[in-house]
Amino acid sequence: GQERITSTFMVPTMIHMLLALPGVDRSRLPALRRLGYGAAPMAPARIEEAMQRFGPVLSQGYGAGETTSGVCTLTVLDHVEALREDPRRLASCGRPYYETEVRVLDDEGRAVAPGAIGEIVVRGEDVFAGYWRAPELTAEVLIDGAYRTGDLATVDEQGYIYIVDRKKDMVITGGFNVYPREVEDVLTTHPAVAAASVIGVPDERWGEAVKAVVVLRPGAQVSPEELIALVRERKGAVHAPKSVFRTESPSTTGFVSESRVWPPAVRFARDALDRSLRAIPALVRFKGVFVTDEGGFRWDLTGDAWQVVPSDHRRGSACDAIARVGSDLGGALARVDAARATTLLILAGPFA
């Protein structure tokens, strides 16, 4: 046809799907000038692979619903220079836009030194005024007009910000802090690994043990010992997983039935559910909130922890609560690499 796409935006899962299709490369997309991505982490190894396939067109954006727009960008030129001079920069979400103040601060509100870990804090005209009818939740994240994102990050000498992980996702094992994304980025450098998710699981000796769930490329094989050794070599013994679960398809195997073993994007969706439920004053008892992915697998985002006793049993309030949760969670899933969600099912009751 005469009309061709010149600019588009994709979440990382969509780019992964393109990379899995044989024959989809620059020759099939000759008019493409910009392929923006964001809303979820993307491993540097996959970014490099996408650049090799599609050419110098990738750009990344970082922001949040609470900032109402992107606040950082890793431009097309940044990607090209990183690939040529320092591929480690592909792990960065970029530098702040001029109209927004973005800083990485410690728990006392002081700017961290280059390489030290702190929390991304955003201040500016684009920052939201607060969560609707949720003053306590607002007070947790909005301090003196600045939004504390909950994203842990470092910053380098040139001002590039590198997201380490969500505060809630940090694994504490044997008294040491392990950030899942750092381990995931190492695992995805192995040629047999298409995607990886790292979590903490209860352990009598260590408190929490690092567990890796890896999605293998079609027909690929790799032993758990090889992957553990790879992480140990790159990051050290503390970061090395104590166990590895391997699968060729994340939507057809049993590991996702364990509520603790979710990909990072599904954990993001759980955080969105958390915020939504805490913001609703009158709740019904939620029997389950499920997301069904394109492979037909149903992810349970609730479990026993979110069977909330209602403070108001009226049918109107119950329906309003269900609609609110559905809207909040659906909006979050639309913005992230969340199990490629196609169906949102909420089961609730009782109704008076």
Side-chain angles (χ1 to χ4, degrees):
Q2 294 181 341
E3 304 296 332
R4 295 181 180 272
I5 293 174
T6 58
S7 179
T8 188
F9 177 88
M10 297 183 180
V11 297
T13 286
M14 299 166 72
I15 298 178
H16 296 165
M17 291 176 178
L18 284 181
L19 293 174
L21 294 175
V24 178
D25 55 23
R26 184 68 170 171
S27 65
R28 297 282 297 274
L29 302 166
L32 187 62
R33 298 290 179 266
R34 179 181 179 276
L35 171 53
Y37 66 96
M42 186 169 176
R46 298 291 84 80
I47 297 173
E48 188 170 347
E49 183 180 355
M51 292 178 68
Q52 292 169 351
R53 290 274 293 275
F54 308 132
V57 297
L58 271 72
S59 67
Q60 182 184 172
Y62 167 76
E66 291 84 353
T67 64
T68 67
S69 66
V71 297
C72 290
T73 181
L74 191 70
T75 67
V76 171
L77 181 59
D78 286 331
H79 280 76
V80 172
E81 292 180 345
L83 190 60
R84 183 176 61 237
E85 301 172 3
D86 186 3
R88 292 175 299 179
R89 186 163 291 165
L90 294 177
S92 170
C93 66
R95 291 186 284 195
Y97 290 111
Y98 290 114
E99 68 268 21
T100 306
E101 178 185 303
V102 182
R103 306 177 70 195
V104 181
L105 307 180
D106 63 18
D107 291 338
E108 283 71 44
R110 300 170 299 197
V112 300
I117 294 175
E119 183 178 4
I120 297 177
V121 178
V122 181
R123 183 188 299 273
E125 295 296 325
D126 290 341
V127 173
F128 79 144
Y131 297 112
W132 184 60
R133 293 184 179 178
E136 294 181 357
L137 184 59
T138 298
E140 291 180 12
V141 301
L142 203 60
I143 300 176
D144 296 328
Y147 171 57
R148 302 190 73 92
T149 65
D151 289 325
L152 299 176
T154 65
V155 60
D156 67 15
E157 298 283 359
Q158 288 73 42
Y160 289 92
I161 294 174
Y162 299 75
I163 296 176
V164 176
D165 225 314
R166 294 286 297 169
K167 268 187 172 181
K168 293 182 178 181
D169 292 341
M170 184 177 69
V171 179
I172 303 177
T173 179
F176 293 95
N177 295 341
V178 173
Y179 300 98
R181 186 182 174 184
E182 294 183 326
V183 182
E184 292 162 357
D185 285 349
V186 172
L187 291 168
T188 52
T189 64
H190 194 285
V193 177
S197 178
V198 170
I199 60 166
V201 295
D203 186 271
E204 291 185 3
R205 180 179 181 184
W206 302 105
E208 284 187 295
V210 178
K211 181 184 181 72
V213 181
V214 297
V215 180
L216 301 184
R217 295 181 184 275
Q221 291 294 325
V222 61
S223 70
E225 293 75 18
E226 185 177 349
L227 294 177
I228 293 170
L230 175 65
V231 177
R232 183 181 293 111
E233 178 184 355
R234 300 274 187 88
K235 299 295 296 182
V238 171
H239 291 72
K242 297 294 190 294
S243 60
V244 176
F245 185 95
R246 297 165 297 167
T247 177
E248 293 185 0
S249 172
S251 59
T252 59
T253 57
F255 77 87
V256 288
S257 64
E258 302 175 32
S259 61
R260 296 182 62 87
V261 188
W262 293 324
V266 179
R267 296 202 299 269
F268 182 96
R270 173 63 183 269
D271 288 347
L273 175 63
D274 182 357
R275 291 192 297 270
S276 180
L277 291 177
R278 292 167 64 187
I280 298 174
L283 287 173
V284 297
R285 180 183 295 274
F286 284 84
K287 296 181 179 178
V289 178
F290 304 95
V291 175
T292 302
D293 69 17
E294 62 178 12
F297 193 90
R298 191 171 70 175
W299 301 71
D300 184 353
L301 300 184
T302 49
D304 293 339
W306 285 114
Q307 292 188 8
V308 182
V309 177
S311 58
D312 189 334
H313 289 281
R314 291 176 301 172
R315 181 177 295 274
S317 296
C319 292
D320 288 346
I322 295 171
R324 170 67 185 274
V325 172
S327 176
D328 288 354
L329 187 54
L333 295 178
R335 293 190 293 112
V336 301
D337 176 21
R340 303 184 299 282
T342 57
T343 303
L344 178 63
L345 172 65
I346 299 180
L347 305 178
F351 296 131

